[in-house]
Amino acid sequence: MTVPRTDAGRGKPAPPGGGLIPFPAVDEVSRHCLSADEPESVHLEVHLPGRLDPARLRDAFGQALLAHPRVLVREVPGRGHRRSYAWELTGEPDGDPVDFAGRGPGALARARARALADCPPLTVSPPMRLAVVEAVGGTAVPEPPDDIRPAGTGTVLLLTAHHTALDAPSALRVLATTAERYSGTPALPIPGRIRPDRPDPAPGGSGGTGRALRTRPVRVAPDARPAPVRARAAGNGMLQADLPVPRRAAPAGSVPPWTVNDQLLAAAALTVGRWNASRGRPPGPVRITMPVDDRPRGTEMPMGNGTRLVEVAMAAEDPRDTDLLLGERPDPAAVARLLRTTARRTRDLKATRGSPWGAGAGLLTVPLLPVGIRGVLTRGARRAAAPWTSTVLVTNLGRVPYGLDFGDGGRATAVWFSAPARMPRGLSVAAASTGGRLHVTLRWSRALLGDAAGADLAGLFGEALSAVSLAPAPQLAPAPSPAPVPSDDPEAGPDATAGSADADGAGVGAGVGDAETGARAPRGRARGPGGPHRPDIPRPDTAPGAAHPTRDHRERPS
């Protein structure tokens, strides 16, 4: 089938309907690897303190879809001998994508379970659906302050999108436009992301040392269920946590040397290392897949899968740090060294421009062979590369840049989302920041972990995030004083040639959108390796009640 190419999806306006868009490489690879056992769904939750008018919300969501016509697509049907897949721009929805799922915590649990198990079909436009859940008595959503919460009300907007067609930032942009249409307020200008310039691309699109990149990454150790039981398990489990944004210590007068995104990566690496050590697995390099989004976030944002995936090697540069990091209480100085290394690697990767999935995916999707043959080759390549697949996916939307103000329904009090967690990786961590809180979602494949094991892993992540927030800031080292220069001025004193201290902490660029809030930690209270014990040193709370998710989100994993 010959597909007329358009500029839709490349930042230019899409035709109102009837146009065809060939699948980009990311969409085609995802389409080849779809599995009924592990749906490729993106789930996004916006929690509101009040109730919404059903008719107004349905109308506002419809207007938002028309404002982003690239979302109104469906897959063009065809046979396996065609040369390419294509999206058809429909110009209007094929049906009503809004579902009012009822009231109470049972309705929210059912909507979450459906989001993890049932993808919207690619053959229906748009490939997303919006479930609206009303809470009674504050039991389905975290309770906002009393001065902004009507008594006994609350609403959750749960948007599910097929990841072959759309990613989480695109879905969030659609909900932001929905809020603007519902409340009648115009869109506010949104500042763009700042990226450091780096003309030379990072080798291979990965950050890290050569030793870490030449070694197979460790896998997340499966739980104690028998292997045949795990192999028959289907679907994903999920647990959401409401955590404080981790502190980022910085020398006086300078910006923090690492971002919250870097802290999330370090916490994920510590979580995997401690989890595997508790199950008798030897330590090894952890590699993390990190999406980076360079798109503008305003109404002109191109829809689709617009992030590029990079891999960050999380192995410590000093092998002696491994034992210090994986102990019962991670050593703060070793954590600080890991954070500095991570910040340097992510800064380089964010500044690099390249294809979303690298040259390999581009080669597999060249339309020289029929899609049926390319699908067989892609799935075979995926199986062959399974041992080299990254350990975990960590995606961070950062501080949500949209007001998400629904007028009489109130402003969003929390935003949660989750990314697919298909095997062989089997684990994803997703984070967004709203109102000074970090909303984290752990999602796992049930072929890897059961719900009880997933909850234990979420507890370890909370402890690890607390540990990285205690990492001390690098101390400012005074620059060496230059040699005294003889002066002809007889009044020049001995301090006339003294040098000044130079700060070594430079700010780093944002990831998908780093959360940059957080108070500074006190200086000089952390103990280095081998130093004397200090009873006043802040320690991560490893008690069972530490860094717990909100009560509504940890009683029962979805």
Side-chain angles (χ1 to χ4, degrees):
M1 181 182 67
T2 302
V3 179
R5 296 180 177 269
T6 73
D7 289 325
R10 302 178 185 272
K12 298 183 180 180
L20 299 182
I21 308 171
F23 272 33
V26 174
D27 296 10
E28 180 173 329
V29 171
S30 175
R31 174 67 176 80
H32 287 322
C33 299
L34 293 180
S35 168
D37 291 339
E38 294 179 306
E40 193 81 352
S41 63
V42 173
H43 126 276
L44 178 69
E45 291 184 24
V46 173
H47 292 233
L48 303 172
R51 291 181 179 174
L52 301 176
D53 179 79
R56 283 176 58 196
L57 178 63
R58 180 176 279 111
D59 182 65
F61 189 67
Q63 293 181 38
L65 294 177
L66 295 177
H68 302 286
R70 175 58 177 80
V71 175
L72 291 169
V73 295
R74 61 175 173 240
E75 182 186 341
V76 177
R79 299 182 179 274
H81 56 73
R82 53 183 164 164
R83 291 299 177 91
S84 63
Y85 293 110
W87 297 115
E88 179 185 6
L89 294 160
T90 62
E92 60 183 14
D94 288 338
D96 184 8
V98 182
D99 173 34
F100 290 88
R103 297 185 177 185
L108 181 58
R110 289 191 297 271
R112 286 177 179 153
R114 186 185 180 197
L116 299 183
D118 182 18
C119 267
L122 294 176
T123 55
V124 176
S125 173
M128 61 164 54
R129 62 173 177 266
L130 178 64
V132 185
V133 181
E134 288 190 6
V136 178
T139 55
V141 295
E143 297 183 3
D146 292 333
D147 58 348
I148 65 171
R149 174 174 55 90
T153 63
T155 303
V156 178
L157 301 179
L158 198 154
L159 185 68
T160 306
H162 201 303
H163 203 358
T164 301
L166 299 165
D167 55 14
S170 297
L172 184 61
R173 177 62 255 183
V174 171
L175 284 183
T177 305
T178 302
E180 294 161 5
R181 298 295 194 272
Y182 184 91
S183 63
T185 57
L188 297 176
I190 299 172
R193 297 182 176 89
I194 299 175
R195 292 281 187 265
D197 292 330
R198 181 182 173 87
D200 53 320
S206 297
T209 62
R211 174 178 57 85
L213 294 177
R214 290 192 300 267
T215 306
R216 288 185 179 183
V218 297
R219 306 250 66 82
V220 177
D223 59 18
R225 293 175 298 165
V229 174
R230 291 198 307 271
R232 291 193 297 270
N236 289 170
M238 181 180 73
L239 194 144
Q240 297 165 315
D242 178 87
L243 303 172
V245 174
R247 296 173 298 177
R248 295 184 298 143
S254 68
V255 296
W258 43 73
T259 66
V260 172
N261 190 69
D262 298 325
Q263 291 177 306
L264 288 169
L265 297 177
L270 292 178
T271 300
V272 172
R274 295 181 65 191
W275 172 266
N276 285 357
S278 68
R279 278 146 183 79
R281 294 290 185 94
V286 173
R287 283 218 300 269
I288 297 178
T289 295
M290 178 184 75
V292 179
D293 192 358
D294 300 311
R295 293 172 292 182
R297 295 174 290 187
T299 55
E300 75 281 7
M301 175 182 181
M303 298 288 102
N305 284 304
T307 57
R308 52 190 172 92
L309 302 180
V310 298
E311 287 195 5
V312 186
M314 298 299 298
E317 290 189 338
D318 187 347
R320 294 173 296 181
D321 279 351
T322 301
D323 292 337
L324 299 175
L325 291 170
L326 300 184
E328 182 179 357
R329 297 182 183 273
D331 181 80
V335 173
R337 289 191 290 272
L338 178 62
L339 284 170
R340 286 198 298 272
T341 301
T342 302
R344 185 179 67 251
R345 293 171 181 170
T346 57
R347 182 170 59 246
D348 292 343
L349 288 168
K350 293 167 189 173
T352 303
R353 300 295 186 269
S355 59
W357 278 6
L363 183 63
L364 287 171
T365 56
V366 173
L368 298 178
L369 299 173
V371 293
I373 297 177
R374 295 209 304 272
V376 173
L377 295 176
T378 300
R379 290 186 290 272
R382 186 172 182 266
R383 286 191 296 269
W388 299 91
T389 303
S390 63
T391 311
V392 59
L393 169 71
V394 176
T395 178
N396 175 29
L397 289 182
R399 191 165 45 218
V400 175
Y402 313 114
L404 295 175
D405 186 353
F406 282 82
D408 52 4
R411 296 173 66 95
T413 58
V415 175
W416 270 284
F417 78 102
S418 72
R422 297 180 57 190
M423 295 296 284
R425 185 183 294 120
L427 178 65
S428 69
V429 179
S433 174
T434 306
R437 301 291 294 179
L438 193 66
H439 301 112
V440 180
T441 303
L442 268 73
R443 183 168 164 179
W444 58 87
S445 170
R446 287 199 169 104
L448 177 70
L449 302 172
D451 288 343
D456 292 341
L457 192 70
L460 280 180
F461 182 83
E463 296 175 8
L465 195 62
S466 177
V468 300
S469 70
L470 300 180
Q475 301 298 316
L476 297 180
S481 300
V485 178
S487 174
D488 296 331
D489 184 0
E491 296 183 1
D495 296 331
T497 57
S500 61
D502 184 23
D504 62 353
V508 300
V512 171
D514 299 323
E516 297 296 346
T517 58
R520 292 178 180 173
R523 297 176 60 194
R525 297 184 61 190
R527 173 173 61 97
H533 175 72
R534 289 282 304 280
D536 61 333
I537 297 176
R539 302 288 188 183
D541 188 359
T542 57
H548 277 167
T550 55
R551 69 171 187 268
D552 306 309
H553 301 279
R554 74 179 304 272
E555 292 176 354
R556 185 183 301 109
S558 298

